[in-house]
Amino acid sequence: MSDFLSDADFERFKTLIYDASGITFSEVNRSILESRIREILRNKKLETTQQFYEMVQKDQEVLKEFLDSVTTNLTRFFRNMPHFEALQHYIIPELVKIKSLTKRIKVWSAGCSTGEEPYTIAMVLHRHLPPDYTFDIIASDLSLRTLMVAKQGIYDESRIQGVPDDYLRQYFTQNGNSYQVNKEIMDRIQFDYHNLKYDSKRTDFDIVFCRNVLIYFDEAAQKEVIAKFWKTMTPHSFLFIGHSESLFGMDTGFTFLKTDWTCLYEKNINNTKSN
């Protein structure tokens, strides 16, 4: 047991984080929380965790910084390739039929981290949608720090591993040891701060990606997030979650969908119940 955070302190900070974001900390990841708080105390020149606890309760900006520091931001381009194969081979053809009047696809990448996911989505849509169709992507995250990286769209060589060579040639410009996402892709994405604990003011999404985010929530918070997604999505739309995540046992209104490439969820247009 750590002597840095007492059990009482751990419970206080754990509750504060949960109430503010829905993110759950347990003994398994207690060390992550402790290391983040230790670093914050050092940077802010505070002597006790009590001082920081009082500060974070009073100042919303400090709270945002704190939530930013405790989130994990592991991502990469074309992460879990079968999802993007399903997007290309199944979802795009489906939406092309459904959206034949508007010819516009709207996507939400929730928990976008440093941007690799929404840029991957944009590249796949740009390449495989018919030329008379267009798309918009909203990419959101709880971390302002990672959103700044995402908005720049610049990645070093180690970060673009996994990008197929033809995509790399078409959608990136190399500059020394770094790669810049091309403007035609960057212009299709709007990066924005959003805490999934709260309702999004945006609607009419045809596709929602929220991968490897639900694992940080308990079941109650998961159900709330999924219900919020339901409300933002069009009557016939698709939800991707992480390969280790599941809606099994939840009464969500989403239908489990097994394609030749991967499993995902479809909004059930015959069921208006969202929780």
Side-chain angles (χ1 to χ4, degrees):
M1 183 182 298
S2 169
D3 58 0
F4 174 65
L5 276 186
S6 68
D7 288 345
D9 283 338
F10 176 60
E11 289 298 322
R12 285 199 302 171
F13 280 106
K14 184 176 76 169
T15 301
L16 184 150
I17 293 167
Y18 181 80
D19 289 344
S21 68
I23 295 173
T24 302
F25 274 85
S26 65
E27 285 297 333
V28 174
N29 50 16
R30 176 171 176 161
S31 61
I32 296 174
L33 178 58
E34 292 184 337
S35 67
R36 298 296 190 272
I37 294 175
R38 191 189 301 272
E39 182 179 359
I40 290 169
L41 295 187
R42 184 169 61 249
N43 291 340
K44 293 187 177 297
K45 296 181 170 54
L46 299 176
E47 294 184 359
T48 67
T49 56
Q50 177 63 28
Q51 289 175 307
F52 177 60
Y53 184 78
E54 292 173 357
M55 181 184 294
V56 82
Q57 284 193 306
K58 294 175 182 176
D59 191 324
Q60 282 296 309
E61 289 305 311
V62 175
L63 175 60
K64 280 186 178 181
E65 291 176 9
F66 182 42
L67 296 177
D68 186 335
S69 73
V70 299
T71 53
T72 303
N73 300 295
L74 175 65
T75 187
R76 63 178 182 273
F77 287 100
F78 289 91
R79 185 181 188 185
N80 196 347
M81 180 63 87
H83 283 178
F84 298 104
E85 292 172 335
L87 175 61
Q88 173 186 338
H89 297 294
Y90 183 85
I91 292 178
I92 288 177
E94 284 289 302
L95 290 178
V96 165
K97 291 183 289 186
I98 296 167
K99 312 289 286 192
S100 59
L101 293 178
T102 63
K103 298 183 185 301
R104 179 177 290 273
I105 310 298
K106 192 172 179 182
V107 185
W108 184 6
S109 170
C112 70
S113 187
T114 45
E116 287 90 335
E117 178 180 271
Y119 286 129
T120 302
I121 297 167
M123 290 185 284
V124 173
L125 292 175
H126 184 273
R127 174 169 289 192
H128 296 289
L129 275 175
D132 57 337
Y133 278 69
T134 188
F135 63 91
D136 303 296
I137 299 175
I138 302 298
S140 69
D141 203 274
L142 186 65
S143 169
L144 292 169
R145 171 173 43 87
T146 58
L147 285 171
M148 292 303 294
V149 175
K151 286 180 179 180
Q152 293 177 347
I154 301 172
Y155 302 91
D156 63 34
E157 284 183 315
S158 65
R159 300 288 292 279
I160 52 89
Q161 300 301 315
V163 179
D165 289 342
D166 54 335
Y167 277 89
L168 194 61
R169 288 192 298 269
Q170 182 175 356
Y171 295 115
F172 292 82
T173 300
Q174 185 174 4
N175 183 11
N177 293 325
S178 65
Y179 290 79
Q180 170 74 64
V181 179
N182 290 348
K183 189 175 187 298
E184 63 180 344
I185 294 300
M186 295 188 70
D187 286 348
R188 300 297 184 94
I189 304 172
Q190 179 182 341
F191 290 99
D192 193 17
Y193 175 88
H194 181 66
N195 185 336
L196 289 174
K197 183 176 177 64
Y198 301 103
D199 286 326
S200 169
K201 296 178 182 179
R202 307 180 189 276
T203 58
D204 299 325
F205 289 107
D206 303 295
I207 307 169
V208 172
F209 276 74
C210 183
R211 304 187 302 165
N212 307 303
V213 175
L214 296 179
I215 55 176
Y216 297 104
F217 299 152
D218 65 6
E219 185 175 347
Q222 288 177 358
K223 290 181 68 175
E224 289 181 7
V225 170
I226 295 300
K228 290 181 177 68
F229 285 147
W230 172 276
K231 293 174 184 176
T232 71
M233 296 170 71
T234 56
H236 195 171
S237 47
F238 302 91
L239 171 67
F240 287 91
I241 60 178
H243 71 278
S244 64
E245 299 168 324
S246 173
L247 303 187
F248 181 75
M250 293 188 197
D251 185 8
T252 65
F254 286 99
T255 301
F256 182 76
L257 178 61
K258 189 177 188 303
T259 72
D260 290 341
W261 301 272
T262 193
C263 297
L264 59 143
Y265 292 87
E266 184 174 13
K267 182 168 179 177
N268 186 341
I269 59 176
N270 297 316
N271 184 353
T272 59
K273 188 174 181 180
S274 62
N275 52 37

